[in-house]
């Protein structure tokens, strides 16, 4: 339990300045080569025993350094802004480099990033200085997003459209975009196999859980009810909280989750369109009738107020009928001029 607790807690390490070690390694390389040649010459041409022994010692030390000259370069790590390097030493979590720059650490540590094919970076000049595109002995490694570094930038996840049934059982197509970043590199690397795939799966699962709680749309009379189309802000907040709870074990932080696509599934889209059109026609007719009745009432009041004409109940009914036909009809009215008397 204690070991797992240490892995879950991110250990920030600060490496030693790497520029002096880089300069020292570059200087010692030709010096060791010169010492090897000088030692061999002193051994071969030595006039005395002391000179011969000195030549042998110089040649051996220079030869050993030439064989191990990769060690100083292997400990050099280059970190860009908003990047981190998770290091292990003989299988155990060593620490995380977060500060940008070039640093020197234990040359036997290995960088780990499960999202990159290969698992662990080899301890060598090509692996450790990949971001500098520097190699020793002809080995050159492709610079893929900083080698084994873990990005701390805000990233975007877009899994595409999914077909899910809403609260009413209607199949809908919905797509979301998730803005996220790595908050705890130790959890992201060691607690899950691949934190990017883990986030993708958990986002799909959370989306299905949230969509089943709401209908696609609601009637205008149900103002207190929430829907996927009308309550996008609330749905997005619940979706963000749901995903954050699921990916907490992976050390990820969800910055934002938004719906990018929402539509009925193709098999019911036509029927739902007809339903929406019918609802729109009914609402429009209702508004027209309400306005027509108000206009008729106003017309009758004006006629009575100004005493323009005296109408009995039968004539009022005929006038109301004619006005409603004119105001509520979908076609232009054809006026009829009556030249006769009302009586």
């Amino acid at each position: 339990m204690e070991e797992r607790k240490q892995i879950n807690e991110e250990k920030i390490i600060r490496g030693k300045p790497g520029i002096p070690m880089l300069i020292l390694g570059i200087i010692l390389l030709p010096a060791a080569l010169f010492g090897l040649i000088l030692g061999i010459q002193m051994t071969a041409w030595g006039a005395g025993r002391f000179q011969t022994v000195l030549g042998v010692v110089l040649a051996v030390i220079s030869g050993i350094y030439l064989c191990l000259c990769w060690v100083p370069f292997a400990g050099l790590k280059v970190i860009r802004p908003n990047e981190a390097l998770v290091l292990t030493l003989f299988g155990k979590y060593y620490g995380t480099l977060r500060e940008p720059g070039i640093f020197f650490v234990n040359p036997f540590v290995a960088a780990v990033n499960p999202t990159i094919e290969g698992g662990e970076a080899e301890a060598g000049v090509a692996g450790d200085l990949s971001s500098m595109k520097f190699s020793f002995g002809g080995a050159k490694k492709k610079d893929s997003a900083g080698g084994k570094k873990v990005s701390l930038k805000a990233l975007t996840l877009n899994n595409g459209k999914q077909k899910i049934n809403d609260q009413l059982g209607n199949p809908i197509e919905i797509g979301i975009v998730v803005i996220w970043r790595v908050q705890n590199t130790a959890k992201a690397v060691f607690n899950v196999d691949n934190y990017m795939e883990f986030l993708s799966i958990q986002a799909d699962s959370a989306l299905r859980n949230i969509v089943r709680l709401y209908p696609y749309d609601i009637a205008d009379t149900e103002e207190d009810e929430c829907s996927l189309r009308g309550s996008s802000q609330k749905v997005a907040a619940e979706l963000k909280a749901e995903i954050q709870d699921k990916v907490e074990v992976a050390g990820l932080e969800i910055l934002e989750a938004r719906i990018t696509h929402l539509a009925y599934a193709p098999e019911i889209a036509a029927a739902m369109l007809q339903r929406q059109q019918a609802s729109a026609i009914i609402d429009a007719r209702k508004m027209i009738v309400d306005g027509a009745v108000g206009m008729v009432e106003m017309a009758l009041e004006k006629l009575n107020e100004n005493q323009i004409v005296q109408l009995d109940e039968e004539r009022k009914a005929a006038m109301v009928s004619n006005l409603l036909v004119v105001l509520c009809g979908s076609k232009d009215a054809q006026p009829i001029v009556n030249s006769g008397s009302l009586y």
Side-chain angles (χ1 to χ4, degrees), residues 97-118:
L97 278 173
R98 277 179 172 262
E99 186 177 353
I102 179 170
F103 303 96
F104 180 79
V105 295
N106 191 322
F108 297 100
V109 298
V112 183
N113 189 346
T115 62
I116 298 179
E117 185 179 359

Side-chain angles (χ1 to χ4, degrees), residues 197-259:
E197 294 180 359
F198 181 79
L199 173 62
S200 177
I201 294 173
Q202 296 302 327
D204 290 346
S205 175
L207 179 60
R208 292 183 177 274
N209 293 339
I210 296 299
V211 169
R212 292 191 183 104
L213 300 178
Y214 299 98
Y216 176 88
D217 201 359
I218 57 175
D220 294 337
T221 56
E222 301 175 355
E223 296 180 356
D224 296 336
E225 297 293 331
C226 297
S227 65
L228 297 174
R229 187 180 69 88
S231 307
S232 58
Q233 297 292 336
K234 181 179 180 181
V235 174
E238 293 186 6
L239 184 61
K240 174 185 174 182
E242 179 83 7
I243 300 176
Q244 181 64 68
D245 183 65
K246 290 180 177 293
V247 301
E248 189 69 30
V249 66
L252 306 181
E253 180 185 3
I254 306 302
L255 302 177
E256 187 178 5
R258 294 289 179 183
I259 297 176

Side-chain angles (χ1 to χ4, degrees), residues 48-67:
R49 182 178 179 182
F50 176 76
Q51 189 176 3
T52 302
V53 173
L54 182 61
V56 171
V57 173
L58 183 60
V60 170
I61 294 176
S62 300
I64 293 176
Y65 180 79
L66 287 176
C67 294

Side-chain angles (χ1 to χ4, degrees), residues 25-325:
I26 295 175
I27 293 176
L28 290 180
L29 187 60
L33 182 61
F34 176 76
L36 179 63
I37 297 173
L38 181 61
I40 294 175
Q41 290 180 348
M42 292 177 61
T43 303
W45 300 339
R49 182 178 179 182
F50 176 76
Q51 189 176 3
T52 302
V53 173
L54 182 61
V56 171
V57 173
L58 183 60
V60 170
I61 294 176
S62 300
I64 293 176
Y65 180 79
L66 287 176
C67 294
L68 301 177
C69 63
W70 56 269
V71 174
F73 298 103
L76 294 175
K77 308 294 180 182
V78 179
I79 309 297
R80 299 189 184 101
N82 286 327
E83 287 184 346
L85 197 63
V86 181
L87 303 175
T88 60
L89 181 62
F90 303 120
K92 292 185 177 182
Y93 178 48
Y94 181 78
T96 300
L97 278 173
R98 277 179 172 262
E99 186 177 353
I102 179 170
F103 303 96
F104 180 79
V105 295
N106 191 322
F108 297 100
V109 298
V112 183
N113 189 346
T115 62
I116 298 179
E117 185 179 359
E120 295 192 0
E122 297 179 357
V125 177
D128 297 322
L129 296 180
S130 60
S131 59
M132 295 178 61
K133 295 186 178 179
F134 175 83
S135 60
F136 178 73
K140 191 172 183 179
K141 185 176 180 179
K142 183 179 179 181
D143 182 17
S144 57
K148 297 294 178 178
K149 298 177 181 64
V150 177
S151 176
L152 303 178
K153 304 174 184 177
L155 304 175
T156 302
L157 171 68
N158 189 354
N159 281 348
K161 304 174 186 177
Q162 296 187 66
K163 184 181 292 185
I164 308 174
N165 293 336
D166 66 355
Q167 187 184 41
L168 303 178
N170 298 322
I172 63 173
E173 288 185 348
I174 185 171
I176 62 170
V177 60
V178 180
I179 310 299
W180 63 281
R181 66 183 177 188
V182 177
Q183 187 178 37
N184 188 313
T185 58
K187 287 184 177 182
V189 171
F190 298 112
N191 283 3
V192 294
D193 182 55
N194 188 320
Y195 58 87
M196 289 187 177
E197 294 180 359
F198 181 79
L199 173 62
S200 177
I201 294 173
Q202 296 302 327
D204 290 346
S205 175
L207 179 60
R208 292 183 177 274
N209 293 339
I210 296 299
V211 169
R212 292 191 183 104
L213 300 178
Y214 299 98
Y216 176 88
D217 201 359
I218 57 175
D220 294 337
T221 56
E222 301 175 355
E223 296 180 356
D224 296 336
E225 297 293 331
C226 297
S227 65
L228 297 174
R229 187 180 69 88
S231 307
S232 58
Q233 297 292 336
K234 181 179 180 181
V235 174
E238 293 186 6
L239 184 61
K240 174 185 174 182
E242 179 83 7
I243 300 176
Q244 181 64 68
D245 183 65
K246 290 180 177 293
V247 301
E248 189 69 30
V249 66
L252 306 181
E253 180 185 3
I254 306 302
L255 302 177
E256 187 178 5
R258 294 289 179 183
I259 297 176
T260 57
H261 175 80
L262 182 62
Y264 283 111
E267 56 266 24
I268 66 168
M272 289 302 176
L273 180 59
Q274 293 178 355
R275 177 182 175 184
Q276 291 177 356
Q277 290 175 344
S279 178
I281 292 174
I282 292 174
D283 292 340
R285 289 297 182 183
K286 181 180 178 182
M287 185 179 298
I288 292 173
V289 171
D290 292 340
V293 171
M295 294 174 67
V296 170
E297 290 178 353
M298 183 177 62
L300 293 176
E301 290 178 358
K302 289 292 183 180
L303 290 174
N304 291 332
E305 180 181 352
N306 298 331
Q307 296 182 355
I308 297 175
V309 64
Q310 297 294 330
L311 300 176
D312 57 9
E313 295 301 325
E314 183 179 355
R315 295 296 183 180
K316 286 183 180 180
M319 181 179 179
V320 169
S321 176
N322 293 334
L323 287 175
L324 288 178
V325 170

